[in-house]
Amino acid sequence: MDISEKLYSLRRARQLSQEEPAEILGVSRQAVQKWESGASTPDVGNLVALSDYFGVSLDELVKGGKQPQPSPPPADDVGPFPRRFQWEYKSKRTLFGLPLVHIHLGWGLCRAKGILAIGNLATGLFTLGALSAGLFSLGGLSLGLLALGGLALGGVALGGVAIGLLAIGGLAMGVVSLGGLSIGVYAVGGAALADRVAIGGFASGHIALGERARGSLAYCRATCTPDLLRRMIIDEYPHTWKPLVDFLALFLE
C-alpha cells in the first residue's frame, strides 16, 4: 500500500472529510486531494504532522503496514483534562498573510501566530502566551511595544522584571524606570539608581532625592519641593522633555 492509499484509508477509517486534516495542517483541501490521488506527495514536515494527526508512526505512514483499527482512547487520555490534549482554532480570514485569530492550546509546545494569537508560544499583533511576542503582548515572558509579564521587555514594559524605555516592575530597568529596585536614566523607587535623576527611599544619581541620597545635587526628599526639582533638572539638563520633568515632580507632591 503506497502513501496515497494509506492516507485515504486512514482518513476514511476515521470518517473525516478532506477539509478537516487540511485545516489542521494549514493546507488547502486540494492539496490533500492530490496526496490521496498520488498526484503529489506531502513534504517531510507535512508527513510528520500527518503521522501525529492520525496517530501512526512515520514509518508505517510512508512504508505502509497494518490497517487502521478504531480503538478506544488510552487510559491516560480519559477525563476532562487528557494528558495529550490539544485544541486549535485558526480563522480562515487573514490580514497581511496572518490569520485574524489563531488559538492553540494544550500540553507541550502549542505555537500560535496571528493578528490575535493565543498559545504557549504566541507571536503576532496582540499576543497572549507563556512566551509572547507582539506589538501588544501578555505572558510569562513578554516582548513587545507594550509588554506585560513576569519578565517583560518592550517599549513600555510592566512586570516582575521589566526592561524597556518606560519600565515599571519589582525590578525595573529603562530610560524611565519605576519599581522596588529601579535603574535608569531617570529612576523612581524604593531604591533608585539613575544617571540623571533618582527619587526614592535610597537614591543615587546626579540629582538625588531620598531619605538616603547620594549625588552631586543630593537632597532629603521631604525638604525638596516640586518647583525646586523642576529648576534643578532644567538647569542641569536644559533639553529635558517638559512633560517628563512634570511627571518626575509629581513624586514630590
Side-chain angles (χ1 to χ4, degrees), residues 227-247:
D227 286 339
L228 176 57
L229 175 60
R230 289 188 182 95
R231 287 197 301 271
M232 285 192 295
I233 295 174
I234 296 302
D235 288 345
E236 296 295 315
Y237 308 107
H239 299 296
T240 304
W241 190 38
K242 187 177 183 302
L244 176 57
V245 176
D246 292 335
F247 173 72

Side-chain angles (χ1 to χ4, degrees), residues 128-140:
L128 171 62
L131 174 57
S132 177
L135 192 61
F136 304 98
S137 62
L138 172 64

Side-chain angles (χ1 to χ4, degrees), residues 30-87:
Q30 289 79 6
V32 176
Q33 184 181 43
K34 288 180 180 180
W35 296 343
E36 293 184 354
S37 67
S40 65
T41 303
D43 61 26
V44 174
N46 283 323
L47 283 172
V48 173
L50 285 165
S51 69
D52 290 341
Y53 179 66
F54 288 119
V56 298
S57 69
L58 187 59
D59 187 66
E60 183 181 343
L61 180 63
V62 175
K63 296 181 180 179
K66 62 181 181 180
Q67 294 298 314
Q69 297 293 330
S71 59
D76 61 0
D77 281 355
V78 176
F81 301 104
R83 191 175 70 183
R84 298 178 182 175
F85 164 78
Q86 282 200 6
W87 181 82

Side-chain angles (χ1 to χ4, degrees), residues 176-179 187-189 199-200 209 221 224-226 229-230 244-253:
V176 179
S177 60
L178 296 86
V188 179
I199 303 172
L209 309 174
R221 184 174 177 179
C224 185
T225 66
L229 175 60
R230 289 188 182 95
L244 176 57
V245 176
D246 292 335
F247 173 72
L248 293 171
L250 291 175
F251 292 94
L252 297 180
E253 294 181 351

